[in-house]
Amino acid sequence: MSLIYKKILLWVLCSSVANLLLYTFLSLSSTSPGGTSQARVRPRVLKPDGVFWKLSLDESALWNRLQHALDRAHNPILRNGTAGRAVPRLGGRCQPNPGVSTRVRDFNTLPRRVKDFVASMHCREYRLVVDQPGLCKGERPTLLLAIKSQVANFENRQAIRESWGRAGRIGNATVKRVFLLGRQDPGSGHFPDLTGLLELERRRHGDLLLWDFKDAFFNLTLKDVLFLKWLGRRCPGARYVFKGDDDVFLNTEALLGHLEGRSNESRDLFLGQVIRHAAPLRKVKQKYYVPESLYVGGYPAYVGGGGMVYSGDLALRLGRASDRVVLFPIDDVYMGMCLEKLGVSPTEHPGFRTFDISEGDRDNPCVYRSLVLVHRRTPGEIIRLWKRMHDPELKC
Ligand SMILES: *[C@@H]1O[C@H](CO)[C@@H](O)[C@H](O)[C@H]1NC(C)=O
Ligand SMILES: *[C@@H]1O[C@H](CO)[C@@H](O)[C@H](O)[C@H]1NC(C)=O
Ligand SMILES: *[C@@H]1O[C@H](CO)[C@@H](O)[C@H](O)[C@H]1NC(C)=O
Ligand SMILES: *[C@@H]1O[C@H](CO)[C@@H](O)[C@H](O)[C@H]1NC(C)=O
């Protein structure tokens, strides 16, 4: 009897040790840091898939709370006769918001940029200080290039004008160009006064749009929203819009070739590098940090903000959909939210490399022929690459 008992005990002991070893091995191998770590890749937490707009009301996060109220206000059944009273106003000029620090539970411990965002997220009407009312008069652009820039980035803008951002006719297409700017002057932080230079540039090139809000990373969403509104007013006939950063290299000819080939199903086109199953980063030091008190939930599928292309028709609808989506500090995620509101999915294009290409290919102009967009190029690199790609001697 006792022998059998001992045998059983031994067996149990052995199998638990084996289990323990197996468990340790598995957990070690699953937490081993990615050996081929790429410094340029934006880290994203992976989350299981789910339908984005089926958000349950989470009272603990400000964005979710505001969006929930907005959804109810726009829903004729839920609104239920309380017309007007509970409808939050998204528009309106920015008035100081005294109750702001009570709207988020940990407001005082949040980093400055998040505080600034929370304090102004109810404002989205800013004066257009520099306009280009005549840009789209005359010929309807096949492609409008809308490039997010900052006042001080004169060099980036000039490099783009001299290379991939040339306006005019390319093949059968008409290309036009605008740069999207916010304020970056002594009135909005510690900046040198560049108004004189900017005025010179405006007169010379006629391709600047500048709004009266502070040009900050967490204000980039404002650029999207205000640009879409501007497009509806000033350039509703544009067939396609490219929107991207001023430090990318765009293969404009390849893009136009691609767009020409797909004229049929282009109404809902939203093209770029699609990022799926992403979720907010929760470490304060991260550039894309979004606290739990501001937002809970995963992100919808979205296109990396370095560069994206959408149809003019979709742009106008996105502009209207943005009225129903509370501002979110990360602009490409915000566009993904608006897309979901319209029930449109982004389209993946392997030629958009917003996370850059391998180091060995960086200087090879032939590689870029098949690419549409690469991220992080200096003005000098942009010019050089353009020249080499258009060198008649180039053999690939
Ligand atoms: C609509 O209002 C009535 C009376 O105010 C209330 O009893 C009912 O629950 C409301 N319905 C919804 C969906 O809120
Ligand atoms: C321009 O359009 C004409 C007629 O539609 C066509 O024959 C020609 O191939 C096009 N050129 C280019 C460069 O796409
Ligand atoms: C965005 O711009 C507004 C208006 O200039 C400003 O009040 C706010 O602080 C800015 N937001 C951020 C995050 O800097
Ligand atoms: C455009 O799409 C329609 C229906 O989806 C199809 O019947 C037609 O052949 C397509 N035309 C071209 C040129 O691809």
Side-chain angles (χ1 to χ4, degrees), residues 147-259:
I147 302 143
K148 293 177 277 177
S149 188
Q150 288 174 4
V151 168
N153 294 0
F154 293 98
E155 218 189 338
N156 296 58
R157 290 194 290 279
Q158 193 55 30
I160 290 170
R161 287 186 191 107
E162 291 176 12
S163 60
W164 59 262
R166 284 180 194 195
R169 282 196 85 76
I170 297 182
N172 283 341
T174 305
V175 176
K176 303 207 173 181
R177 174 191 67 228
V178 275
F179 292 99
L180 315 176
L181 304 171
R183 265 183 42 207
Q184 213 180 32
D185 55 33
S188 71
H190 298 290
F191 298 109
D193 189 353
L194 300 172
T195 14
L197 279 177
L198 201 71
E199 170 58 17
L200 209 65
E201 188 188 9
R202 179 190 70 79
R203 265 186 278 151
R204 189 175 175 107
H205 296 289
D207 58 4
L208 304 180
L209 294 180
L210 187 144
W211 286 274
D212 186 20
F213 64 81
K214 181 180 166 192
D215 208 336
F217 178 63
F218 273 6
N219 262 347
L220 282 180
T221 306
L222 278 175
K223 265 186 203 175
D224 282 88
V225 170
L226 292 169
F227 165 67
L228 290 172
K229 298 289 180 193
W230 177 88
L231 189 80
R233 237 177 23 250
R234 299 289 197 205
C235 201
R239 276 195 55 204
Y240 295 103
V241 176
F242 165 84
K243 209 213 68 201
D245 291 342
D246 66 357
D247 60 350
V248 302
F249 183 87
L250 178 72
N251 188 345
T252 317
E253 284 105 338
L255 174 62
L256 286 169
H258 175 81
L259 293 175

Side-chain angles (χ1 to χ4, degrees), residues 40-60:
R40 282 195 189 83
V41 173
R42 215 197 262 185
R44 290 283 178 192
V45 182
L46 295 187
K47 288 266 287 190
D49 207 357
V51 179
F52 177 72
W53 282 107
K54 283 197 182 135
L55 286 171
S56 54
L57 172 61
D58 196 313
E59 287 286 352
S60 67

Side-chain angles (χ1 to χ4, degrees), residues 18-37:
N19 267 330
L20 190 72
L21 283 177
L22 189 67
Y23 172 78
T24 325
F25 171 74
L26 282 181
S27 47
L28 272 182
S29 57
S30 68
T31 54
S32 77
T36 56
S37 98

Side-chain angles (χ1 to χ4, degrees), residues 1 9 12 17 23 47 49 82 112 170 173 186 206 229 250 261 270 307 331 335 350 352 361:
M1 200 54 158
L9 197 68
V12 167
V17 168
Y23 172 78
K47 288 266 287 190
D49 207 357
T82 58
R112 175 90 251 157
I170 297 182
K229 298 289 180 193
L250 178 72
F270 196 100
D331 63 330
M335 290 302 276
F352 283 71
D361 284 342

Side-chain angles (χ1 to χ4, degrees), residues 107-380:
F107 186 82
N108 289 324
T109 63
L110 293 175
R112 175 90 251 157
R113 60 188 188 283
V114 182
K115 280 185 185 162
D116 286 347
F117 174 78
V118 169
S120 64
M121 66 190 286
H122 61 293
C123 329
R124 50 166 84 194
E125 270 174 32
Y126 293 96
R127 199 165 56 88
L128 185 57
V129 184
V130 176
D131 191 6
Q132 300 300 334
L135 188 83
C136 292
K137 293 222 172 93
E139 205 167 354
R140 168 188 183 198
T142 320
L143 180 65
L144 175 65
L145 305 170
I147 302 143
K148 293 177 277 177
S149 188
Q150 288 174 4
V151 168
N153 294 0
F154 293 98
E155 218 189 338
N156 296 58
R157 290 194 290 279
Q158 193 55 30
I160 290 170
R161 287 186 191 107
E162 291 176 12
S163 60
W164 59 262
R166 284 180 194 195
R169 282 196 85 76
I170 297 182
N172 283 341
T174 305
V175 176
K176 303 207 173 181
R177 174 191 67 228
V178 275
F179 292 99
L180 315 176
L181 304 171
R183 265 183 42 207
Q184 213 180 32
D185 55 33
S188 71
H190 298 290
F191 298 109
D193 189 353
L194 300 172
T195 14
L197 279 177
L198 201 71
E199 170 58 17
L200 209 65
E201 188 188 9
R202 179 190 70 79
R203 265 186 278 151
R204 189 175 175 107
H205 296 289
D207 58 4
L208 304 180
L209 294 180
L210 187 144
W211 286 274
D212 186 20
F213 64 81
K214 181 180 166 192
D215 208 336
F217 178 63
F218 273 6
N219 262 347
L220 282 180
T221 306
L222 278 175
K223 265 186 203 175
D224 282 88
V225 170
L226 292 169
F227 165 67
L228 290 172
K229 298 289 180 193
W230 177 88
L231 189 80
R233 237 177 23 250
R234 299 289 197 205
C235 201
R239 276 195 55 204
Y240 295 103
V241 176
F242 165 84
K243 209 213 68 201
D245 291 342
D246 66 357
D247 60 350
V248 302
F249 183 87
L250 178 72
N251 188 345
T252 317
E253 284 105 338
L255 174 62
L256 286 169
H258 175 81
L259 293 175
E260 232 154 64
R262 61 178 306 144
S263 52
N264 208 9
E265 3 83 75
S266 65
R267 201 179 102 91
D268 280 348
L269 183 70
F270 196 100
L271 197 68
Q273 179 164 22
V274 181
I275 299 159
R276 296 178 199 278
H277 315 306
L281 297 183
R282 302 299 198 190
K283 296 214 175 75
V284 183
K285 290 227 174 87
Q286 288 162 321
K287 185 181 179 191
Y288 298 92
Y289 168 67
V290 172
E292 273 108 339
S293 56
L294 180 59
Y295 179 78
V296 287
Y299 288 156
Y302 66 95
V303 167
M308 54 189 76
V309 175
Y310 38 82
S311 78
D313 187 282
L314 183 56
L316 304 183
R317 284 179 286 146
L318 281 169
R320 291 191 289 272
S322 70
D323 291 340
R324 298 182 172 208
V325 183
V326 174
L327 290 182
F328 192 75
I330 299 173
D331 63 330
D332 42 13
V333 172
Y334 181 81
M335 290 302 276
M337 292 171 169
C338 295
L339 262 191
E340 288 254 355
K341 268 275 182 243
L342 294 171
V344 174
S345 305
T347 306
E348 172 80 26
H349 189 302
F352 283 71
R353 302 295 182 85
T354 45
F355 298 141
D356 209 348
I357 57 177
S358 73
E359 202 59 46
D361 284 342
R362 265 180 84 95
D363 275 336
N364 182 353
C366 292
V367 169
Y368 292 88
R369 287 209 158 169
S370 58
L371 295 179
V372 176
L373 177 131
V374 282
H375 203 186
R376 290 268 179 278
R377 292 292 182 276
T378 65

